[in-house]
Amino acid sequence: MGSKPERVDGADLTSPFAVCKAISDVVGSTLGPKGLYKMVVRSSGTPVVSKDSETILDEMDIEHPAYDIIRSYISDNSSVYTTLELLLLGELVENALELVDEGIHPTLIADAYDMAAREATASMAAASTNRARDRQSLEELIATHLESKTIFDDSSSLANTVLDALCDDLGNREIDVDDVEIYTVSRKQVTDSVTIPGVCVKKRRPVNHTRV
């Protein structure tokens, strides 16, 4: 969890630039296999320890439109690259402030960022390749995503379970994720997860009220 804890309590978060930079700085050090865990203390006093950027972002108690925009974007575009996206956001904000200090109008900077984004998207599209949609490739893709979460040790077995819920053996059947229900069971491990096709009905054991 790191020898030196980081704390952003009391930071100036009135500026949208300060909010973006604070989020980027907090989340940035969680990246990689040697990334640090972060402790976020809720208003109720309950601590939450995680190195998952989405979890940290959700638990942050920041009241600012910039934070709301970032959180909404991350929620709608959840991916394995969330931490990298937040790091890039912090660097873009920092570079933009330097350009403003040099006398460049913010509108020109925003237009330049839009142009750079289009060029980067086109370059990535040209360099990308389509992988085969076989089960092994899909399982590797899901496992790669899960490895960035706190369950990385069980990513392989859980990836197989997720794939069972979404596709058949050849990866041909795709269903709406809203049709998949996830139930948690206490005192069980991630490796105990199973996929149950059809309808799952949770029943309680009947209570015998007969008096003796």
Side-chain angles (χ1 to χ4, degrees):
M1 294 179 60
S3 58
K4 186 177 180 180
E6 297 182 44
R7 189 178 182 89
V8 294
D9 186 26
D12 179 17
L13 299 180
T14 57
S15 165
F17 303 106
V19 171
C20 295
K21 198 65 176 69
I23 294 174
S24 177
D25 291 342
V26 170
V27 173
S29 56
T30 65
L31 186 65
K34 296 184 179 180
L36 303 177
Y37 282 82
K38 302 295 179 180
M39 177 182 290
V40 182
V41 181
R42 295 172 176 170
S43 57
S44 60
T46 305
V48 177
V49 179
S50 176
K51 64 178 298 186
D52 177 51
S53 55
E54 292 185 44
T55 301
I56 297 172
L57 189 63
D58 288 339
E59 294 295 340
M60 282 184 169
D61 187 12
I62 301 177
E63 295 183 3
H64 197 282
Y67 168 75
D68 295 336
I69 293 174
I70 295 173
R71 183 176 179 180
S72 176
Y73 170 80
I74 295 300
S75 298
D76 295 338
N77 300 274
S78 177
S79 73
V80 69
Y81 304 111
T82 298
T83 303
L84 293 177
E85 290 174 338
L86 294 175
L87 278 174
L88 180 60
L89 171 65
E91 292 299 318
L92 291 175
V93 167
E94 188 172 353
N95 291 339
L97 291 176
E98 293 177 0
L99 294 174
V100 170
D101 291 339
E102 294 178 5
I104 301 177
H105 197 276
T107 303
L108 294 177
I109 300 174
D111 290 342
Y113 277 179
D114 286 337
M115 184 184 300
R118 290 193 295 270
E119 290 294 329
T121 302
S123 298
M124 288 188 292
S128 63
T129 58
N130 292 324
R131 296 189 60 182
R133 288 175 54 84
D134 59 278
R135 185 179 179 89
Q136 181 178 356
S137 298
L138 292 174
E139 187 173 338
E140 291 175 355
L141 180 64
I142 297 173
T144 300
H145 177 79
L146 294 175
E147 284 175 358
S148 66
K149 309 301 179 182
T150 55
I151 54 175
F152 60 89
D153 289 335
D154 304 310
S155 59
S156 179
S157 61
L158 190 58
N160 187 58
T161 303
V162 172
L163 203 55
D164 287 339
L166 299 179
C167 305
D168 59 18
D169 292 338
L170 298 178
N172 295 324
R173 179 172 60 90
E174 295 183 1
I175 64 176
D176 190 344
V177 293
D178 292 334
D179 293 335
V180 179
E181 294 289 342
I182 301 177
Y183 293 95
T184 58
V185 180
S186 59
R187 297 185 294 275
K188 293 292 184 179
Q189 303 295 325
V190 174
T191 51
D192 296 324
S193 301
V194 294
T195 299
I196 302 177
V199 180
C200 182
V201 180
K202 186 176 181 180
K203 298 180 64 177
R204 292 184 178 180
R205 179 179 299 177
V207 179
N208 188 356
H209 296 286
T210 305
R211 292 184 178 181
V212 179

